[in-house]
Amino acid sequence: MIGAAVAALLLALPGRMPPLSQASPYSASKNQITSFDDNPPFKGVVVLKDLGCPDLHRNRIRRHFLDDSGELLTPLSQYVVPTITASTSTENILKHIVNRLAYLDAPVDAKEVAESIEFYLRSGKRAIGAARRVLKNSDVTEDQSMVVKDLCSGHGLTGMLFAACNPPGRLKASMRVLLVDQSEPQSHLILRDLISEVCPWVNQDTVQFFEADLDDYVTKSLSDDATDEASIIISTHACGSLTDDVIRYAVESRAASVSVMPCCYTGTAKGTPYGVQRMFGVSASADIKRSFLLHDAGYHVDFAAIPKAITPMNRLIVAERRC
């Protein structure tokens, strides 16, 4: 019964998550730390100071790279647009993208850039790995492709980083990105074009913006004929029950993977026992409930986190479909 399973999990929860079983095909590599850190250090090239209030980092990315005199730490005259190849490291790709956004004063906050980078670095490898397993087990042997669906995407930076960090030739399959939100922000095209100057494969052919309410998009998508693409579903800070809608869509569409970073938890823990909510709080109770929904639907589920200096709503649910 799910109640007994939840109870067993909760007894192991205080402080740190239990390590993954080494017998699992999804387990961490040997000697890799597998305990859960709810406030990990930064992995990416944009490191924010913990100022006690993440909103203090809502300054344009250019301002983040200015010194005390108001000059860029590296003068624009010294910057050269790099040549990115399939062998270029993810770290260097992200560094060049951030440099471009900063030098040309892109309309995006340092907080949002750090958030998108940290989300990708903590979910991208597993998400893409799940999609590759799905394609490997499919009947399609040529022209394989995967699609990243960034739902409630805002300007779409997170989804575009998935494409940017995987140049043509790095994956055996091609990758396209679909961004979905109620309206396309003016900043989207500016960000896409700036990223394209560094990563030319991120363009209007590989990145599309679909303007729609999430319900309308889900209805249309599920009614369309199935494709041979392996889908990667992501969503950062889809408000409240929208995260649950994203998860349900991923399950119903048999997505290869789904990675979400929820927020606005009011009412989302409904259905979990009162004692669970009282002991662990509404947010953890809601995410535990979500993890069991995914688990029961055939997904391997794990938690991750980004640094709290970016946002206190920093927990990720990362799920990979078992093939």
Side-chain angles (χ1 to χ4, degrees), residues 160-178:
M160 289 189 286
L161 288 185
F162 272 74
C165 291
N166 292 280
R170 178 169 293 185
L171 305 174
K172 292 182 178 179
S174 62
M175 178 184 287
R176 67 185 184 93
V177 177
L178 179 63

Side-chain angles (χ1 to χ4, degrees), residues 260-312:
V260 297
M261 185 161 60
C263 75
C264 305
Y265 283 91
T266 302
T268 56
K270 185 177 180 180
T272 57
Y274 167 75
V276 172
Q277 295 184 45
R278 190 167 66 89
M279 182 173 183
F280 295 100
V282 170
S283 63
S285 299
D287 287 345
I288 290 170
K289 181 181 73 171
R290 289 160 171 162
S291 73
F292 272 98
L293 186 153
L294 285 161
H295 175 83
D296 291 344
Y299 287 80
H300 169 77
V301 191
D302 197 7
F303 291 111
I306 66 174
K308 288 184 177 179
I310 302 173
T311 174

Side-chain angles (χ1 to χ4, degrees), residues 119-147:
F119 183 96
Y120 174 74
L121 292 176
R122 286 166 167 79
S123 65
K125 186 175 181 179
R126 284 192 272 186
I128 292 169
R132 295 177 76 172
R133 287 194 297 272
V134 168
L135 291 174
K136 182 179 179 181
N137 294 327
S138 75
D139 296 329
V140 180
T141 57
E142 296 183 1
D143 299 325
Q144 292 185 329
S145 64
M146 57 183 72
V147 55

Side-chain angles (χ1 to χ4, degrees), residues 38-265:
D38 67 354
N39 188 22
F42 281 84
K43 285 187 173 184
V45 296
V46 179
V47 178
L48 306 181
K49 295 180 180 178
D50 191 349
L51 301 177
C53 178
D55 282 344
L56 294 176
H57 292 295
R58 285 200 175 278
N59 296 307
R60 283 201 178 194
I61 186 64
R62 179 183 177 90
R63 183 181 178 88
H64 183 73
F65 288 94
L66 297 178
D67 61 20
D68 293 337
S69 67
E71 298 293 329
L72 283 169
L73 298 180
T74 302
L76 181 59
S77 59
Q78 297 180 15
Y79 177 73
V80 177
V81 177
T83 300
I84 305 293
T85 68
S87 62
T88 304
S89 69
T90 296
E91 180 181 3
N92 281 333
I93 292 175
L94 290 171
K95 179 180 177 181
H96 292 310
I97 290 173
V98 170
N99 283 343
R100 199 67 180 161
L101 297 179
Y103 291 150
L104 298 183
D105 198 16
V108 62
D109 297 341
K111 175 185 181 298
E112 293 172 344
V113 175
E115 185 173 275
S116 293
I117 289 174
E118 296 298 324
F119 183 96
Y120 174 74
L121 292 176
R122 286 166 167 79
S123 65
K125 186 175 181 179
R126 284 192 272 186
I128 292 169
R132 295 177 76 172
R133 287 194 297 272
V134 168
L135 291 174
K136 182 179 179 181
N137 294 327
S138 75
D139 296 329
V140 180
T141 57
E142 296 183 1
D143 299 325
Q144 292 185 329
S145 64
M146 57 183 72
V147 55
V148 178
K149 298 181 179 182
D150 188 351
L151 307 182
C152 305
S153 64
H155 45 55
L157 178 59
T158 307
M160 289 189 286
L161 288 185
F162 272 74
C165 291
N166 292 280
R170 178 169 293 185
L171 305 174
K172 292 182 178 179
S174 62
M175 178 184 287
R176 67 185 184 93
V177 177
L178 179 63
L179 309 172
V180 180
D181 214 325
Q182 291 180 319
S183 61
E184 179 181 323
Q186 292 181 341
S187 58
H188 164 64
L189 285 179
I190 298 173
L191 294 176
R192 191 195 70 188
D193 290 346
L194 289 177
I195 293 173
S196 182
E197 292 174 5
V198 178
C199 306
W201 58 92
V202 180
N203 53 48
Q204 61 184 2
D205 295 326
T206 57
V207 178
Q208 288 86 38
F209 203 109
F210 189 86
E211 290 185 315
D213 290 337
L214 183 59
D215 286 344
D216 292 340
Y217 170 74
V218 167
T219 300
K220 181 181 185 303
S221 177
L222 291 176
S223 64
D224 286 345
D225 292 335
T227 69
D228 293 320
E229 290 180 305
S231 60
I232 296 169
I233 308 297
I234 64 171
S235 187
T236 57
H237 289 165
C239 192
S241 61
L242 286 177
T243 290
D244 298 292
D245 294 339
V246 169
I247 290 173
R248 280 192 292 270
Y249 169 66
V251 170
E252 291 176 18
S253 63
R254 289 185 53 78
S257 68
V258 54
S259 302
V260 297
M261 185 161 60
C263 75
C264 305
Y265 283 91

